[in-house]
């Protein structure tokens, strides 16, 4: 068969696709790489205009085009002309993202932004080109098909059972797409074909024959051979068109779009692969990027949630103005940060700093939009009361923390008059300052007043007593009376002697309140006198937390035991384990002489809160960790560092899960810190939520290439196995260890190089051997998660609901309307319900309100939408309308296949 394929390939046409793989930021920061990009594209554009034979593919991402045109705006029309002619292929992505370290919604917006930018230049390359991602998420075939793309093109992650260059890649819902595998070198499989030689302008015949033979082994059904001529940050040879012409009629230049235009879309006769592509069989997938620079993953998770689930829904449902420009900018920053050399943390320290800044900027924009919308709504909420927003599309009862004016025990009622359970967390001091000063210092003291703000609060009243030589300011969180500092100065004119200055605050308390809020809706909370002592389900007694749904007890070694109302007991939760890591940002690699530290030297438990709505304690453990790694001995250093790890365990009313937050000051290098949980029953597989799917994975990984197939995997919303689900705040690395008896989650992985030339878990370098001291992640570190026991093998609706609640706290804003105003009644936004139905976004778009959801279930289900709308239609990811939905009394139903992604637009006609 191999001989037949080689003979067939010898006569096959070779389609040469000149391109560059452009890492926007990596071992150099963005601007230093962009200088090279401008020089490269200047030359490419000039050659293409001078020689009509030229074709070029710009790496599938619009960011490179936009980065170039920002420096060369005068060349925009020249570039657009080449795109319109079909000679320059651009898009469909905005950036070549990492598919596991951003949300599914981020992937959709990436595609949306890239296709829009490409169409503005003339046309988008309608190929799902994914040349260098470190594996591929399960739902990518469905995402591409919903955007109208019928071909994918991949390199890393393809399993061993794929033995041809074409296969059918199937999403969890059954959507399949014809996919081209790039064997024999990936996106640079023909990079050496046109290297200089003494044989004249044409490539040596032996190279052409060798390429044809190698590729023929992957083309059992014949057809053109795809020769990807390009590499990282390089341009094709200047005389490439001449070399192709000299090679004869069996070779031609084209774009990647041109090559796929002649390819079939049918899947008959092709091998099928279902789900994610994370095999190590044919190329490195560099799994250590999941845990490199964990802070970047935390910043991404926070910023994505802020924009996706708070700012956009608030704007779409509750804002009369236009904040779209701010939201667009936030999304641009999130998409930029999702690049496969950015959020991954496998770049230089300067790149990591820039990426963190982009994520922080996106979060700031999201917060600013939330502030804008809630401020407009809070204008009708009385001073001293609070507005509460529910970011989930189902009715929700959750805990909020508020600062309220209160003389004695506090009470709260909703705008509808319903009492709300309250627990005092902290009582604020009422005397902020009381001291005697000489009169000569009074003018200086008055300079502390900023506008009307003093000690972080607003001045609501003041008085001067010349007889008692006393100046008194009374401050509150927000005042609605006039204040003039000039009047104070005038009252103190001519003051002599010693004066007493007092700053008195109104009585205030920080309270936890258990409030019920409509789906994607608003409610208000108003302070009232307490009706009596509050009772609630949550208590801390000795070393035990209990909320009626879960009981957590801390043991002598600092681990926790959990007990459910049904009597199920789970032990060994929260063990902290530290081990060595002499790898790099791409691959974990423990030293040959590793030293594992899992037993604490001391354990203490401190009470934090006793209930009745929230109770918590801190588990404080001390350890002695090796200070660093010893490369010469391939071991951990003999020098040690004392480290204190504090794990806060917290139970809240109504929550069936235990919240954990682990914090420590990392003063050590070259190590990995993981939190371990014993599983109540042996697990043969794990279930991880991320990118519109719950992916089931075994306990091992497929190997075959030059990389150790470690079974560490990414999870975004939660990971579940053996009866425990761990709810997550950000993309997190996990592993099922101990032959399926334990789960380990990475809190920190500290390494000192971008790539090491000698890595025990990888044969080849993954990049330059560049020191990255920032990747040692020194300083204070904290990671939050929650532990939820569940029944059955596969996590169901209870886990989905818990993950939704854990990741999306209720949002509050202080009212600033007139104190005597009537608090608004609760108002419902949009409700989206259905077994296994999860909303992933809701936004304003093209005059409609648009929501996206996914059926995270194994059986068909129905999504039910309810709200103030009279018209609804299903659309694809590009917004093109499909089947209208029947709407009756503000309700529409949509039947969904298992794991199907659906986008619906609705409005009041």
């Amino acid at each position: 068969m191999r001989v037949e394929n080689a003979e067939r390939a010898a006569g096959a046409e070779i389609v040469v696709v000149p391109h560059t793989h452009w890492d926007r930021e990596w071992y150099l920061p963005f601007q230093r790489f962009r200088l090279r990009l401008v020089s490269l594209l200047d030359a490419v554009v000039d050659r293409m205009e001078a020689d009509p034979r030229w074709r070029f593919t710009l790496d599938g991402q619009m960011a490179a085009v936009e980065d170039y045109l920002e420096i060369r705006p005068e060349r925009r029309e020249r570039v657009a002309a080449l795109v319109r002619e079909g000679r320059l292929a651009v898009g469909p992505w905005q950036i070549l993202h990492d598919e596991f370290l951003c949300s599914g919604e981020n992937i959709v917006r990436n595609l949306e932004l890239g296709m829009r930018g490409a169409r503005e230049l003339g046309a988008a390359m309608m190929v799902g080109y994914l040349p260098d991602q470190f594996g591929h998420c399960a739902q990518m075939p469905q995402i591409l098909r919903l955007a109208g793309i019928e071909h994918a093109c991949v390199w890393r992650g393809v399993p061993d059972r794929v033995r041809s260059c074409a296969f059918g890649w199937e999403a969890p819902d059954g959507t399949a797409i014809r996919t081209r595998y790039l064997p024999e070198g990936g996106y640079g499989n023909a990079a050496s074909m046109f290297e200089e030689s003494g044989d004249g302008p044409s490539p040596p015949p032996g190279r052409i024959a060798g390429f044809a033979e190698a590729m023929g082994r992957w083309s059992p059904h014949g057809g053109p051979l795809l020769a990807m001529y390009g590499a990282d940050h390089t341009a094709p040879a200047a005389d490439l068109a001449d070399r192709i012409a000299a090679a004869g009629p069996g070779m031609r230049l084209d774009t990647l779009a041109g090559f796929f235009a002649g390819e079939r879309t049918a899947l008959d006769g092709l091998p099928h692969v279902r789900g994610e592509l994370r095999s190590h069989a044919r190329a490195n997938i560099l799994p250590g990027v999941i845990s490199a620079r964990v802070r970047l993953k935390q910043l991404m998770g926070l910023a994505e949630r802020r924009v996706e689930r708070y700012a956009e829904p608030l704007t779409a449902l509750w804002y009369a103005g236009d904040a779209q420009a701010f939201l667009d900018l936030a999304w641009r920053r999130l998409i930029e940060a999702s690049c496969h050399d950015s959020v991954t943390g496998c770049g230089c320290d300067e790149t990591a700093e820039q990426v963190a800044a982009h994520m922080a900027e996106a979060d700031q924009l999201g917060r600013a939009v939330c502030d804008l919308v809630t401020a407009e709504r809070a204008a009708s909420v009385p001073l001293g009361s609070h507005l509460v927003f529910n970011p989930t599309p189902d009715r929700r009862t959750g805990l909020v923390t508020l600062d309220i004016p209160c003389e004695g025990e506090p009470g709260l009622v909703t705008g509808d008059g319903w009492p709300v359970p309250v627990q005092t967390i902290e009582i604020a001091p009422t005397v902020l300052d009381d001291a005697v000063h000489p009169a000569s210092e009074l003018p200086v003291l008055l300079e502390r007043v900023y506008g009307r703000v003093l000690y972080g609060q607003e001045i609501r009243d003041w008085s001067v007593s010349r007889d008692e030589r006393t100046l008194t300011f009374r401050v509150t969180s927000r005042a609605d009376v006039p204040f003039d500092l000039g009047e104070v100065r005038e009252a103190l004119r001519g003051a002599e002697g010693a004066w007493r200055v007092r700053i008195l605050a109104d009585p205030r308390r920080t309270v936890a309140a258990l409030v019920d809020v409509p789906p994607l809706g608003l409610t208000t909370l108003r302070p009232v006198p307490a009706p009596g002592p509050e009772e609630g389900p949550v208590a801390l007694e000795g070393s035990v937390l209990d909320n009626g749904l879960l009981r957590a007890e801390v043991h002598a070694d600092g681990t926790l035991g959990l007990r459910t109302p049904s009597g199920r007991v789970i032990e060994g939760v929260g063990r902290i384990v530290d081990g060595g890591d002499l790898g790099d940002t791409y691959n974990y690699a423990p030293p040959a002489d590793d030293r594992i530290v899992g037993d604490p030297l001391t354990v203490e438990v401190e009470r934090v809160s006793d209930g009745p709505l929230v109770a918590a304690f801190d588990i404080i453990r001390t350890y002695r960790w090796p200070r660093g790694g010893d490369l010469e001995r391939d071991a951990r250093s003999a020098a040690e560092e004392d480290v204190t790890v504090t794990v806060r365990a917290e139970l809240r009313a109504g929550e069936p899960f235990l919240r954990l937050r682990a914090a420590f000051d990392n003063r050590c290098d070259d190590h990995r810190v993981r939190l371990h949980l014993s599983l109540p029953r042996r697990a043969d597989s794990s279930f991880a939520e991320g990118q519109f799917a719950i992916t089931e994975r075994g306990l091992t990984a497929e190997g075959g290439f030059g990389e150790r197939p470690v079974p560490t995997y990414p999870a975004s919303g939660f990971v579940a196995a053996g009866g425990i689900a761990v709810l997550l705040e950000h993309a997190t690395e996990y592993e099922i260890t101990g032959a399926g008896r334990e789960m380990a989650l990475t809190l920190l992985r500290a390494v000192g190089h971008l790539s090491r030339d000698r890595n025990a878990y990888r044969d080849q370098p993954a990049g330059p051997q560049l020191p990255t001291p920032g990747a040692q992640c020194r300083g204070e570190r904290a990671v939050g998660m929650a532990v939820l026991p569940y029944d059955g093998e596969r996590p169901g609706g209870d886990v989905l609901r818990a993950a939704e609640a854990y990741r999306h706290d209720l949002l509050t804003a202080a009212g600033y309307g007139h104190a005597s105003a009537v608090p608004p009644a609760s108002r419902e936004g949009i409700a989206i319900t259905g077994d296994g139905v999860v909303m992933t976004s809701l936004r304003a778009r093209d005059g409609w309100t648009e929501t996206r959801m996914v059926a995270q279930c194994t059986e068909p289900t129905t999504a039910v939408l309810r709200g103030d709308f009279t018209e609804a239609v299903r659309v694809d990811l590009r917004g093109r309308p499909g089947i209208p939905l029947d709407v009756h009394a503000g309700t529409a139903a949509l039947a969904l296949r298992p794991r199907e992604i659906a986008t619906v637009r609705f409005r009041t006609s």
Side-chain angles (χ1 to χ4, degrees), residues 93-372:
W93 301 103
Q94 179 66 19
I95 202 86
L96 291 181
H97 56 295
D98 184 278
E99 296 177 31
F100 296 96
L101 294 176
C102 64
S103 69
E105 195 61 31
N106 197 329
I107 295 173
V108 170
R109 305 301 179 91
N110 184 348
L111 194 55
E112 181 182 301
L113 183 60
M115 294 181 76
R116 182 168 66 241
R119 288 196 299 269
E120 289 173 356
L121 281 178
M125 179 176 73
M126 296 299 285
V127 177
Y129 185 46
L130 302 161
D132 197 30
Q133 279 86 340
F134 309 148
H136 304 283
C137 67
Q139 289 281 32
M140 185 56 70
Q142 188 178 179
I143 292 171
L144 293 174
R145 287 292 297 272
L146 286 172
I149 294 175
E150 297 185 324
H151 290 278
C153 186
V154 302
W155 172 33
R156 303 185 194 268
V158 175
D160 179 71
R161 66 181 180 275
V162 172
R163 301 300 174 93
S164 63
C165 60
F167 65 96
W169 183 15
E170 190 174 324
D173 76 313
T175 299
I177 187 170
R178 190 179 181 95
T179 302
R180 186 86 180 193
Y181 167 50
L182 297 174
E184 306 293 335
Y187 56 82
N189 64 2
S192 62
M193 186 183 296
F194 300 96
E195 288 179 354
E196 294 291 339
S197 69
D199 299 326
S202 63
R207 289 185 190 168
I208 297 177
F211 177 86
E213 180 180 359
M215 294 301 295
R217 293 194 293 265
W218 294 92
S219 304
H221 304 295
L225 303 180
L226 177 59
M228 297 296 291
Y229 175 56
D232 296 356
H233 316 118
T234 60
D239 60 347
L240 176 63
D242 292 334
R243 297 186 187 192
I244 296 293
M251 186 177 291
R252 66 178 173 88
L253 280 178
D254 210 335
T255 64
L256 197 63
F259 174 84
F260 278 102
E263 289 284 283
R264 300 168 58 234
T265 60
L267 301 173
D268 51 294
L270 296 181
H272 273 234
V273 177
R274 186 180 179 91
E276 68 180 4
L277 304 180
R278 284 196 64 86
S279 171
H280 305 254
R282 304 200 177 282
N284 294 337
I285 64 169
L286 312 171
V289 300
I290 304 165
S291 52
R293 304 186 198 262
V294 167
R295 179 172 174 265
L296 293 181
K297 286 65 174 176
Q298 292 177 304
L299 290 172
M300 177 64 97
L302 176 63
E304 284 179 332
R305 287 197 306 277
R306 187 93 66 184
V307 176
E308 291 174 14
R309 297 301 304 274
Y310 292 89
E312 284 194 328
L314 271 169
T315 304
L317 299 175
W318 300 110
Y319 187 52
D322 182 9
Q324 194 57 49
F326 297 100
L327 294 170
D328 288 345
L329 184 56
W331 271 114
R332 186 170 286 274
R333 294 292 178 264
L334 286 172
I335 292 165
E336 289 171 352
S338 75
C339 186
H340 67 287
D341 292 308
S342 300
V343 66
T344 46
C346 57
C348 65
D349 285 350
E350 286 179 278
T351 292
E353 291 168 3
Q354 286 186 319
V355 173
H358 289 157
M359 294 172 179
E361 190 176 347
D363 183 54
Q364 293 162 12
L365 286 161
R367 291 180 64 180
V369 171
C370 290
D371 292 345
L372 180 71

Side-chain angles (χ1 to χ4, degrees), residues 128 530 586 857:
Y586 290 102
C857 49

Side-chain angles (χ1 to χ4, degrees), residues 802-824:
E804 173 80 359
Y806 175 69
R807 287 168 63 87
H808 304 105
D809 284 335
L810 301 175
L811 179 67
T812 65
Y816 64 93
H818 196 277
S820 61
V822 177

Side-chain angles (χ1 to χ4, degrees), residues 20 23 35 69 81 117 140 172 175 242 296-297 309 330 334 355 397 455 466 478 487 581 589 594 605 716 718 789 792:
T20 185
D23 299 297
L35 189 143
L69 293 178
M140 185 56 70
T175 299
D242 292 334
L296 293 181
K297 286 65 174 176
R309 297 301 304 274
L334 286 172
V355 173
T397 299
Y455 281 67
R466 285 187 169 270
R478 190 153 189 166
E487 293 179 1
D581 190 347
D594 200 358
V605 179
S716 294
F718 64 82

Side-chain angles (χ1 to χ4, degrees), residues 455-472:
Y455 281 67
Q457 300 190 50
E458 295 185 359
I459 298 170
R460 69 164 179 82
D461 193 13
W462 61 274
S463 63
V464 170
S465 173
R466 285 187 169 270
D467 292 338
E468 298 178 359
R469 292 182 180 177
T470 300
L471 168 63
T472 302

